[in-house]
Amino acid sequence: MRLWSILLILLTFPAPAHSGAWLREKGKGFSSNTVSVTQNYDISESTFLEYGARDDLTLGAEVSFLASAYGLQSGSATFFLRRRLGRRDRPSVWSAELGIGAAWVGDVVTPNVKAGLSWGRGFTLAQKNGWITIDSSLSWDVYLQEHLAKVDSTFGINFGDRFSGMLQIFYASTSATTATSVAPSIVVRPIKSRPDIRLQIGAETLISHSSNPALKLSIWREF
């Protein structure tokens, strides 16, 4: 059951497809749809959406569902706002996030509130552009007084106009358990004439339970 508890943490509260450090430009949006399947046939789906209400304020929502190999179903829905911190002309980007939502396991629904802090920075390596981000958050269960702390780290590099590589490390902790997973992936622009659409293909493995890796497929769209 400890493995199921860890999967519930990571899949019911998935890491965002895009780092929270950067904000969307006013009038610009981003969406992603992700499907993940583990070797034991735990299946999760998530939809992520964000929109630039102002240049310094981004609004967003995320909805996820998980169906375990044991037949238990769960999910979560969160609505959030993200605000830039500090000046724009600095190489490092900071932002803060506040959210409200609910999670459910079977017939049990519990509301929660969330606060987050993100940092990001671009870099150049061997004449290729890349980025590194760290997204941290803390969610509180309003009824049960439980917490979920998360730190998501991303290292990415652009190999050209159409291909990028990413390595992500996800850490999650509750009062009952902790989990760390590693997720390498590639990001491709499959249609040259549609640079607004990208496809992410990758895997995710729990460090403590590497025998049940997950295959992840995500479609990104900018609008």
Side-chain angles (χ1 to χ4, degrees):
M1 292 302 293
R2 183 174 183 271
L3 174 58
W4 167 243
S5 298
I6 293 173
L7 286 171
L8 190 63
I9 293 173
L10 294 179
L11 298 180
T12 304
F13 299 90
H18 188 273
S19 170
W22 281 278
L23 278 73
R24 294 290 158 186
E25 295 180 13
K26 182 179 179 179
K28 301 293 185 179
F30 171 84
S31 68
S32 73
N33 298 95
T34 303
V35 176
S36 177
V37 182
T38 71
Q39 185 171 304
N40 292 342
Y41 299 106
D42 301 295
I43 301 173
S44 70
E45 299 178 55
S46 64
T47 298
F48 180 83
L49 176 68
E50 59 182 19
Y51 178 78
R54 301 196 310 245
D55 287 337
D56 62 347
L57 180 66
T58 293
L59 306 179
E62 183 166 18
V63 180
S64 64
F65 301 93
L66 167 64
S68 79
Y70 305 105
L72 184 63
Q73 295 187 351
S74 63
S76 67
T78 303
F79 300 92
F80 64 87
L81 59 86
R82 185 184 310 130
R83 182 73 183 269
R84 182 191 302 274
L85 301 176
R87 293 162 46 185
R88 297 185 183 181
D89 56 352
R90 294 180 177 177
S92 294
V93 178
W94 290 87
S95 65
E97 188 174 301
L98 293 175
I100 185 171
W104 61 90
V105 179
D107 296 330
V108 180
V109 180
T110 56
N112 58 69
V113 293
K114 175 183 176 182
L117 180 66
S118 298
W119 169 86
R121 181 167 184 159
F123 65 87
T124 301
L125 179 65
Q127 298 183 339
K128 299 185 184 301
N129 296 324
W131 70 96
I132 183 170
T133 62
I134 299 176
D135 301 311
S136 61
S137 66
L138 184 62
S139 299
W140 293 272
D141 185 308
V142 176
Y143 286 165
L144 303 179
Q145 301 299 308
E146 289 287 344
H147 76 277
L148 170 67
K150 295 184 67 178
V151 179
D152 302 328
S153 303
T154 300
F155 175 86
I157 190 164
N158 297 316
F159 298 116
D161 293 337
R162 299 182 65 182
F163 294 92
S164 302
M166 293 200 321
L167 177 63
Q168 296 173 288
I169 300 175
F170 307 134
Y171 171 80
S173 173
T174 70
S175 59
T177 187
T178 62
T180 303
S181 63
V182 178
S185 64
I186 59 171
V187 181
V188 183
R189 298 183 189 270
I191 305 173
K192 191 174 183 179
S193 61
R194 292 293 305 272
D196 57 313
I197 297 176
R198 286 175 286 177
L199 181 65
Q200 182 188 23
I201 305 170
E204 184 172 348
T205 303
L206 282 163
I207 292 178
S208 58
H209 294 279
S210 58
S211 61
N212 189 35
L215 176 66
K216 302 177 73 172
L217 177 63
S218 182
I219 298 176
W220 301 359
R221 182 173 177 266
E222 296 177 331
F223 57 89

